[in-house]
């Protein structure tokens, strides 16, 4: 079993640290335009077979069980087209999926097999407990309060969780009192304010 990390920043490192505890993985491949962090990880995990990749086209004949893409979302569609050519068995993509609406429309037309966006709340212990203990059919509103939480990228976790609970997507998503500010990631912005999602007989406020 071979795994490719397409983009190797802090999020990819967390994925790698989890996967490194699993038996049966033959090789790890790290691809990034800057392999500084990848070199440090390779030095730290000397017992694992790790390859640093500078040219993604050199992997066309490699059979990957999983490719994890954790690059920024401003070029995701183009990257997924390259990943698709590698014909992996599974693809895990970090959210936000794509920043460009026109590219999202193109993605919708594509056929991605075993393609997953990383929304883990439905699989985590605390949210499994919420699902078990609360009859959400009797709840009309669920309110989430956060501070310094990356609203733009993380609100989707709650929207996905309740889509899973109700087995339907919200029929309306809208914003209130949004204020834009600079993200800690250079060149990006984030927001503070409220995001609301309306389901049938239920409202989510974040």
């Amino acid at each position: 079993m071979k795994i490719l990390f397409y983009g190797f920043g802090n999020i990819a490192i967390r994925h790698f640290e989890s996967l490194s505890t699993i038996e049966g993985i033959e090789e790890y491949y790290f691809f990034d335009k800057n392999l500084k962090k990848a070199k440090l990880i390779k030095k730290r995990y000397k017992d694992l077979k790790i390859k640093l990749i500078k040219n993604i086209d050199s992997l066309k004949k490699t059979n990957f069980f999983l490719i994890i893409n954790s690059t920024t979302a401003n070029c995701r569609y183009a990257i997924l087209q390259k990943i698709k050519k590698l014909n992996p068995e599974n693809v895990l993509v970090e959210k936000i999926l794509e920043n460009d609406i026109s590219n999202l429309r193109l993605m919708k037309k594509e056929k991605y097999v075993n393609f997953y966006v990383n929304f883990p709340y439905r699989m985590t212990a605390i949210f499994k407990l919420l699902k078990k203990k609360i009859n959400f059919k009797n709840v009309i509103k669920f309110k989430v309060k956060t501070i310094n939480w990356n609203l733009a990228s993380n609100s989707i976790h709650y929207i996905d969780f309740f889509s899973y609970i109700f087995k339907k997507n919200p029929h309306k998503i809208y914003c209130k009192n949004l204020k834009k500010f600079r993200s800690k990631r250079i060149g990006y912005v984030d927001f503070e304010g409220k995001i609301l999602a309306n389901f049938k007989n239920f409202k989510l406020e974040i």
Side-chain angles (χ1 to χ4, degrees), residues 194-206:
K194 293 180 181 179
I195 294 179
L196 300 102
N198 290 352
F199 297 81
K200 185 180 179 181
N201 302 320
F202 177 85
K203 181 178 283 187
L204 170 64
E205 181 181 312
I206 306 167

Side-chain angles (χ1 to χ4, degrees), residues 12-29:
I13 289 171
R14 290 199 290 272
H15 283 304
F16 168 76
E17 287 171 343
S18 296
L19 289 166
S20 68
T21 64
I22 297 174
E23 294 183 4
I25 300 175
E26 302 163 33
E27 293 177 309
Y28 301 88
Y29 294 72

Side-chain angles (χ1 to χ4, degrees), residues 140-158:
I140 59 172
K141 187 173 183 178
F142 190 93
K143 192 171 184 178
V144 180
K145 282 192 174 184
T146 62
I147 299 173
N148 298 327
W149 185 64
N150 297 326
L151 182 68
S153 60
N154 287 327
S155 55
I156 187 64
H157 287 300
Y158 285 97

Side-chain angles (χ1 to χ4, degrees), residues 8 19 30 43 47 63 81 91 94-95 99 123 135 144-145 148 152 155 163 182 185 194 206:
F8 201 79
L19 289 166
F30 299 163
K43 190 179 289 187
D47 294 338
N63 297 317
Q81 292 305 97
V91 179
E94 279 299 328
K95 57 15 170 198
N99 284 336
M123 293 176 281
N135 182 358
V144 180
K145 282 192 174 184
N148 298 327
S155 55
S163 296
R182 283 185 184 178
R185 185 187 289 273
K194 293 180 181 179
I206 306 167

